[in-house]
Amino acid sequence: MKKIFALFLALGLGLTAFGQTAENTVSAKINGKEWQGKAQRLNLPFTGVKYLAIAGMNVSPDVQTWIRFVYVDQLKPGTYPIIAENDREMERKYKESNGSVIWALVDYTEETKGLGHAFRDGESWKGTVTITSVTDHSIEGTFEATLKEVNYKKRGLATVSGFGLRQNIEDKVVTAAGGGMLTKSGPHDHDNTKRMETDGEITITDGKFKLNWGGNTAQKTK
């Protein structure tokens, strides 16, 4: 998947990420604990639908919160239910909306062992995302979510060989430089790991995101 992202960049097909600044942030309480990350934004050039991903990212340890929108027409201010990343659920929402739909997903990932040897993730499940303002150059909003917890453990060969360690260090360098979203196909893209189900949940409250990548100031909802 990373090779596909690199190809988009090389061909100039509209894949866009922007660097981290103090003004562009994602913040929330993760299971009651305050957290804030420097924000990045990613657009992908899919045919027929549009994709906007916003992620707050920190390094050492690696902690990320992603807010993703998949939509047909355009993003508008409003409150949208969070759904699971499930093809059947997304198709149902699409039919209910008569083809004009905005899917909202919120995901979380945190490094639980040094340099990415294990991760504790929260997969999009339920809650709401509210877009309070949006233009072609900015977006701002809030979110509250309950996520399904899953764990990822590094496969033995990657750990023993040292390949996984080197790759994780390289990814951290890119993330720290503001291009972390270009190294991953999504919030749960953990190379050389094994996914393990759990019965746990991750709760996100008081979530906020604010990003401006140039142009006019966003028009807020009345």
Side-chain angles (χ1 to χ4, degrees), residues 23-34:
E23 292 75 26
N24 293 314
T25 60
V26 178
S27 63
K29 290 181 180 177
I30 311 298
N31 287 340
K33 183 179 179 180
E34 296 279 357

Side-chain angles (χ1 to χ4, degrees), residues 15-16 21 26 31 41 50 52 64 66-67 95 109 112 117 129 132 134 158 165 168 172 185 202 221:
L15 187 156
T16 304
T21 71
V26 178
N31 287 340
R41 161 185 166 268
K50 301 174 183 178
L52 172 64
Q64 303 177 14
W66 289 54
I67 304 101
K95 291 179 178 178
T109 177
T112 56
H117 284 265
V129 177
T132 55
V134 61
L165 176 61
N168 292 335
K172 286 174 180 292
S185 61
I202 294 176
T221 54

Side-chain angles (χ1 to χ4, degrees), residues 10 135 146 215 218:
T135 71
T146 301

